[in-house]
C-alpha cells in the first residue's frame, strides 16, 4: 500500500472495510492496516468489521497444530512491528533450534537459533491457537468490530450509477447481509467467496500427504525436544517432524509424496474405528482424536482486474488443508487461515 495516496485522500480513509475470516491472515491484515494508517496519518481511520465463522474465540481450543515463525523470512519482524511479539513469547514452545536426523535419530546437522539485531529471538515455535489468540486480543483493543458465528455464503459487487462507486454485499448463512466499501477475503484455501468472485482460482492437490497426531501428556518431555525441534529424513523421501505442543505433549507428522487417489484412500482409513484400535496398540501415548490426514493444496496466483479494486485476497496461496480429523464431532476447517 506504500504507493497509494496518503492522509485524507487515501484509498481506505473513512471506508467501511469487511474482513471475512479471523484467522492468522485476517487478523494480521487488520492490525497491519491500522498500523499503516496511524503511521501515515490517514484520516479518518477506516471502520473495520471482521466476520468469523467459528462460534467463539475458543471454538477450536486444543485443536490444531503448531507453526514456526522466523526472522530470516521476516515473520518475527512483522509481529514485532505490530506490537504483538512480546505477548507471543509468553506462549512459545521451549525449543527454537532445529535438528535434522536420520531415522535412527542420529544427528545429521543442527540449525541453532540465530538472533538478529533488534529482536529478542530469531525463531519461535507456537501453536496456531496461541498465535491466533494473541492477534485477537490485540485486535479487540483497537475498538474495531468483530463478529463470531458469521458464515459467509456469497459476495457480490454492487454498482451505484449515481456516485459511480462500487460496493460489496456479503450474505451470511443466518440470512443477514452486510455492505462494505472494501472486502478482504481471508477465509482459507477453500474460500467460498473466492470461488464466487474468482471462479477460475481453484485449489489443486500439491502432491504431498501427511499423517499427523499428538501424544498424551508427557511429564517430563524428552530432553531432546526441550532443546530442539526434530526433522527425521528417510532416504526414500519420507520425513517425520516432531516438536513440543503446549509444552507438555509432542506433535508429530509423517509426510511423503503420493498420488491424490492414495490420499483419498488414507482419509477413508482414518475414519475407520479399527484404525484407532491399531494405532493405540502401536503408540501407547497417542491421542486418537488428534489423528488426522493432511493433504497439501495450493492455488495458482490470480489477478484482480483494476475495475474490481473493491476486494482483496489474503492467505489463499500455498495453503494446507485438513481433510478430516479422527473421531472429531465438530466441523473441520482448512488451515492456515
Amino acid at each position: 500500500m506504500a504507493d497509494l495516496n496518503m492522509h485524507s485522500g487515501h484509498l481506505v480513509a473513512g471506508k467501511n472495510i469487511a474482513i471475512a475470516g479471523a484467522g492468522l491472515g485476517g487478523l494480521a491484515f487488520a492490525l497491519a492496516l491500522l498500523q499503516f494508517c496511524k503511521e501515515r496519518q490517514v484520516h479518518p481511520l477506516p471502520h473495520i468489521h471482521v466476520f468469523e465463522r467459528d462460534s467463539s474465540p475458543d471454538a477450536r481450543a486444543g485443536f490444531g497444530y503448531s507453526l514456526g515463525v522466523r526472522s530470516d523470512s521476516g515473520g518475527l519482524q512483522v509481529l514485532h512491528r505490530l506490537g504483538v511479539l512480546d505477548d507471543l513469547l509468553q506462549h512459545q514452545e521451549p525449543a527454537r533450534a532445529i535438528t535434522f536426523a536420520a531415522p535412527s535419530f542420529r544427528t545429521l546437522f543442527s540449525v541453532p537459533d540465530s538472533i538478529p539485531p533488534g529482536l529478542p529471538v530469531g525463531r519461535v515455535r507456537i501453536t496456531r491457537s496461541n498465535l491466533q489468540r494473541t492477534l485477537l486480543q490485540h485486535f479487540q483493543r483497537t475498538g474495531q468490530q468483530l463478529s463470531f458465528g458469521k458464515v459467509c455464503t456469497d459476495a457480490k459487487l454492487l454498482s451505484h450509477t449515481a456516485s459511480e462507486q462500487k460496493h460489496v454485499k456479503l450474505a451470511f448463512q443466518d440470512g443477514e447481509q452486510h455492505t462494505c466499501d472494501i472486502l478482504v477475503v481471508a477465509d482459507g484455501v477453500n474460500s467460498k467467496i473466492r470461488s464466487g468472485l474468482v471462479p477460475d482460482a481453484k485449489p489443486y492437490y500439491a502432491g504431498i500427504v501427511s499423517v499427523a497426531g499428538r501424544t498424551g501428556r508427557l511429564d517430563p518431555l524428552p530432553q531432546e525436544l526441550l532443546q530442539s525441534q526434530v526433522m527425521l529424513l528417510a532416504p526414500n523421501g519420507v520425513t517425520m517432524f516432531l516438536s513440543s505442543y503446549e509444552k507438555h505433549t509432542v506433535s508429530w507428522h509423517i509426510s511423503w509424496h503420493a498420488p491424490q487417489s492414495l490420499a483419498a484412500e488414507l482419509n477413508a482409513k482414518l475414519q475407520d474405528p479399527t484404525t484407532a484400535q491399531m494405532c493405540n496398540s502401536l503408540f501407547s501415548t497417542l491421542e486418537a482424536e488428534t489423528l488426522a490426514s493432511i493433504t497439501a493444496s495450493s492455488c495458482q496466483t490470480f489477478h484482480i482486474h483494476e475495475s474490481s479494486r473493491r476486494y482483496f485476497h489474503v492467505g489463499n496461496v500455498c495453503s494446507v488443508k485438513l481433510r478430516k480429523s479422527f473421531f472429531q464431532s465438530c466441523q473441520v476447517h482448512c488451515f492456515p487461515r
Side-chain angles (χ1 to χ4, degrees), residues 270-334:
L270 290 182
Q271 297 175 51
D272 187 342
T274 58
T275 305
Q277 300 172 5
M278 179 181 67
C279 289
N280 282 328
S281 65
L282 292 174
F283 308 104
S284 59
T285 60
L286 174 70
E287 289 188 346
E289 67 273 10
T290 69
L291 188 63
S293 168
I294 305 169
T295 52
S297 296
S298 188
C299 248
Q300 296 286 356
T301 302
F302 54 89
H303 301 280
I304 304 300
H305 193 272
E306 183 70 16
S307 63
S308 301
R309 279 201 327 174
R310 289 297 173 182
Y311 60 92
F312 302 88
H313 300 257
V314 177
N316 282 322
V317 179
C318 296
S319 297
V320 177
K321 60 182 177 180
L322 188 60
R323 291 290 193 186
K324 179 114 177 166
S325 181
F326 200 125
F327 288 150
Q328 198 75 17
S329 58
C330 63
Q331 182 180 359
V332 177
H333 302 290
C334 60

Side-chain angles (χ1 to χ4, degrees), residues 142-162:
T142 67
Q144 300 283 350
Q145 287 182 276
L146 174 64
S147 298
F148 286 94
K150 304 297 290 185
V151 180
C152 185
T153 57
D154 190 26
K156 293 180 179 179
L157 288 174
L158 303 177
S159 180
H160 295 260
T161 55

Side-chain angles (χ1 to χ4, degrees), residues 11-84:
L11 170 68
V12 301
K15 293 294 193 298
N16 292 307
I17 299 177
I19 300 179
L24 307 184
L27 291 173
F29 180 90
L31 291 173
L33 178 60
L34 291 171
Q35 181 77 8
F36 172 86
C37 290
K38 291 176 182 178
E39 291 177 357
R40 298 300 181 91
Q41 297 181 331
V42 174
H43 180 78
L45 287 175
H47 306 285
I48 298 176
H49 196 157
V50 180
F51 297 95
E52 169 56 37
R53 62 192 172 198
D54 285 349
S55 58
S56 72
D58 300 319
R60 285 188 269 181
F63 172 70
Y65 58 99
S66 65
L67 68 158
V69 186
R70 311 195 315 265
S71 60
D72 58 353
S73 60
L76 286 181
Q77 287 86 339
V78 170
L79 294 175
H80 179 66
R81 186 173 177 181
L82 294 180
V84 304

